[in-house]
Amino acid sequence: MTTGTSAVCDLGPVGLLEGREMVRVTPYGWPPLLIYRVDGEIYATADTCTHATASLSEGELEGHTIVCPVHWAEFDIRTGRALCFPATQSLETYVVSVDDGRICVRRKGSDEQ
């Protein structure tokens, strides 16, 4: 694992998602993250709902939509966009790469969606 000052964070082996759709990780120096595998693609978002500060890892994943367990706010895991009330603020998303069988993420630059 890398420290929080690094631009890239190693979240662990791809096998971490084996048999699961999503896994909460808490890398040192980073906020809690949620990684997902949907249709063979891996995505990463913040784990904390922007509305009620609940852990999204306790919610339901429906396709590319994560549903908050508290007030049922929904977010698109590809873009972070809030899809319904009560959430109005987007969820932070991260750029994911798989390097030598390990899941790595980095924060998006201002020019990335």
Side-chain angles (χ1 to χ4, degrees):
M1 293 286 175
T2 58
T3 63
T5 57
S6 295
V8 176
C9 184
D10 179 336
L11 299 181
V14 173
L16 188 66
L17 283 164
E18 192 68 36
R20 299 188 275 183
E21 295 180 312
M22 60 184 178
V23 175
R24 182 180 194 264
V25 293
T26 54
Y28 175 76
W30 286 61
L33 303 177
L34 195 53
I35 53 175
Y36 316 80
R37 185 187 315 231
V38 177
D39 297 331
E41 294 292 323
I42 299 174
Y43 303 91
T45 70
D47 178 53
T48 306
C49 178
T50 61
H51 169 255
T53 64
S55 174
L56 294 172
S57 66
E58 297 175 15
E60 296 292 323
L61 183 63
E62 300 171 354
H64 289 98
T65 301
I66 185 68
V67 180
C68 178
V70 177
H71 296 117
W72 303 282
E74 298 179 2
F75 302 91
D76 185 318
I77 65 169
R78 298 167 293 191
T79 64
R81 188 171 69 101
L83 300 174
C84 69
F85 188 76
T88 57
Q89 183 179 348
S90 293
L91 191 61
E92 186 169 6
T93 59
Y94 298 85
V95 177
V96 177
S97 62
V98 176
D99 301 318
D100 293 324
R102 300 192 64 82
I103 302 168
C104 298
V105 296
R106 69 174 171 81
R107 290 183 169 88
K108 290 185 176 182
S110 59
D111 61 337
E112 294 176 288
Q113 294 266 358

